[in-house]
Amino acid sequence: MNQRKRILITGAAGFLGSHLCDRFIKEGVHVIAMDNLITGDLRNIEHLFALENFEFYHHDVSKFVYVAGELDYILHFASPASPIDYLRIPIQTLKVGSLGIHNLLGLARSKKSRILIASTSEVYGDPAVNPQPEEYWGNVNPVGPRGVYDEAKRFQEAMTMAYHTFHGLETRIVRIFNTYGPRMRLNDGRVLPAFIGQALRGEDLTVFGDGSQTRSFCYVDDLVEGIYRLLFSDYALPVNIGNPDEITIREFGEEIIKLTGTRQKMVFKELPTDDPKQRRPDITKARTILGWEPKVNRAEGLKMTYEYFKSLPEQEIKHKDFTYYNNK
């Protein structure tokens, strides 16, 4: 009988990490989950605790990482990912993208594991080209307020490629575009949960700028499928995974108002520093190399996400101790 494959997933209690845990459990893989819970939530993975092929470690990967036994794969998804988080904990954000990736690449080398790292569309900054292909080098302000996240991810990519070219390590890099779905934090500062939260509380929707900036939203199940295919591909360079269906923030606000059946209006405020005006992935590589493209349309995905947010405890819906940044 073949021995069960083993995977380490960092950031496992987060939005994306928890969905990845579910997927690899479903595939029969032994999942070792790791999270320091600085932004993650154990409620996202508590349904897995009783399973024989799941284990959880409360640990900060910016410190030395040890995993006993063989390890076939590593998914590095530990990082603050929303503006409210990386503006609140900028140094931790930089550390997990530098010290953290160094520790995990070292672990992958010692275990002879294949490692996939979570990069982001934010490496493109405020792009001068649209849509953004993987060959575009980006337009990033390294000393602006968003630089701690953008540059942490850019460094993480560079370090990963250095291990690939110098040590021959099996590496994969996914550049994730705006993703949504159940288990997003309602108060994490991103536009989709912010709009739905405001609608549920009967508040007007806050739009930064004139609402003409664009975003492209990918449902989480589609994203997980793309990541899964990339891990088992033979391609080492970055691959965009996201939904190329572009929409303006103003149009998106109108969709949320229609979805929630509320009568709120949109109010407009000043655009945050370095906020990208356009965000749309070129997914040619994902289509040709992975045979992947998104399947869930926005109307269907938003309906499922809205049902999740409506099911949250009332005190969580009403809690507003956050700043909304219209950029993710």
Side-chain angles (χ1 to χ4, degrees):
M1 187 168 66
N2 291 333
Q3 188 175 5
R4 192 190 295 270
K5 297 289 187 181
R6 302 175 84 235
I7 188 169
L8 170 65
I9 301 177
T10 72
F15 165 48
L16 295 181
S18 64
H19 284 281
L20 286 163
C21 287
D22 286 344
R23 175 60 185 267
F24 282 91
I25 288 288
K26 182 181 176 184
E27 298 291 341
V29 178
H30 183 97
V31 173
I32 303 160
M34 192 172 285
D35 203 303
N36 67 351
L37 303 179
I38 194 168
T39 60
D41 191 330
L42 283 179
R43 290 180 300 176
N44 290 335
I45 53 173
E46 63 184 359
H47 61 287
L48 302 175
F49 279 16
L51 300 179
E52 182 183 352
N53 59 326
F54 181 82
E55 51 188 302
F56 174 75
Y57 294 94
H58 184 193
H59 183 69
D60 181 353
V61 298
S62 297
K63 300 171 184 174
F64 179 75
V65 180
Y66 172 76
V67 174
E70 294 184 4
L71 194 59
D72 299 285
Y73 313 109
I74 298 172
L75 298 185
H76 181 35
F77 278 71
S79 175
S82 73
I84 186 172
D85 291 332
Y86 56 71
L87 294 172
R88 175 175 59 88
I89 45 174
I91 294 171
Q92 291 94 326
T93 301
L94 285 161
K95 285 172 71 174
V96 77
S98 54
L99 302 176
I101 188 60
H102 189 219
N103 290 335
L104 290 161
L105 288 166
L107 178 65
R109 187 181 174 213
S110 68
K111 299 285 188 181
K112 297 180 172 56
S113 311
R114 177 178 298 182
I115 180 170
L116 180 149
I117 69 157
S119 188
T120 171
S121 61
E122 300 299 318
V123 300
Y124 300 122
D126 186 6
V129 300
N130 194 52
Q132 295 85 55
E134 290 87 349
E135 292 78 14
Y136 178 56
W137 293 350
N139 177 32
V140 174
N141 177 4
V143 295
R146 300 165 60 88
V148 295
Y149 183 66
D150 301 356
E151 296 296 357
K153 292 295 190 179
R154 287 162 71 96
F155 176 85
Q156 185 172 274
E157 286 194 15
M159 180 68 102
T160 299
M161 286 308 300
Y163 265 74
H164 174 74
T165 55
F166 189 77
H167 291 302
L169 192 66
E170 285 195 46
T171 60
R172 306 290 182 266
I173 300 173
V174 58
R175 286 182 181 160
I176 299 169
F177 281 68
N178 299 66
T179 305
Y180 69 100
R183 300 181 196 160
M184 289 190 89
R185 295 201 334 262
L186 194 58
N187 64 344
D188 83 347
R190 292 186 248 201
V191 59
L192 189 149
F195 275 0
I196 292 181
Q198 288 176 322
L200 288 171
R201 291 189 297 270
E203 301 168 356
D204 292 334
L205 307 190
T206 306
V207 175
F208 290 90
D210 61 6
S212 64
Q213 65 270 45
T214 67
R215 296 296 180 265
S216 306
F217 299 98
C218 183
Y219 190 66
V220 64
D221 290 356
D222 282 334
L223 184 89
V224 166
E225 177 64 25
I227 291 167
Y228 186 83
R229 293 190 188 194
L230 178 59
L231 177 65
F232 294 108
S233 75
D234 295 322
Y235 193 74
L237 292 172
V239 177
N240 291 337
I241 298 292
N243 193 320
D245 185 9
E246 190 175 25
I247 186 173
T248 69
I249 295 298
R250 183 194 288 265
E251 291 168 337
F252 185 62
E254 291 169 353
E255 285 190 0
I256 296 297
I257 291 170
K258 182 178 179 181
L259 170 72
T260 58
T262 52
R263 298 181 180 276
Q264 284 85 342
K265 64 180 185 294
M266 284 179 273
V267 295
F268 298 85
K269 296 189 177 181
E270 187 176 349
L271 195 68
T273 304
D274 300 328
D275 189 74
K277 310 302 186 299
Q278 296 175 311
R279 182 68 82 230
R280 181 189 176 202
D282 181 330
I283 62 168
T284 302
K285 280 190 170 58
R287 283 190 171 117
T288 56
I289 297 168
L290 309 179
W292 176 90
E293 61 182 5
K295 304 293 185 188
V296 180
N297 65 45
R298 195 169 56 248
E300 182 184 354
L302 283 177
K303 185 177 179 182
M304 291 186 284
T305 306
Y306 179 50
E307 291 302 316
Y308 167 77
F309 282 132
K310 280 200 303 182
S311 72
L312 294 174
E314 187 176 354
Q315 64 269 25
E316 196 167 334
I317 293 173
K318 290 185 176 180
H319 181 68
K320 296 194 298 178
D321 185 21
F322 73 97
T323 303
Y324 157 47
Y325 294 89
N326 189 357
N327 52 9
K328 287 281 278 186

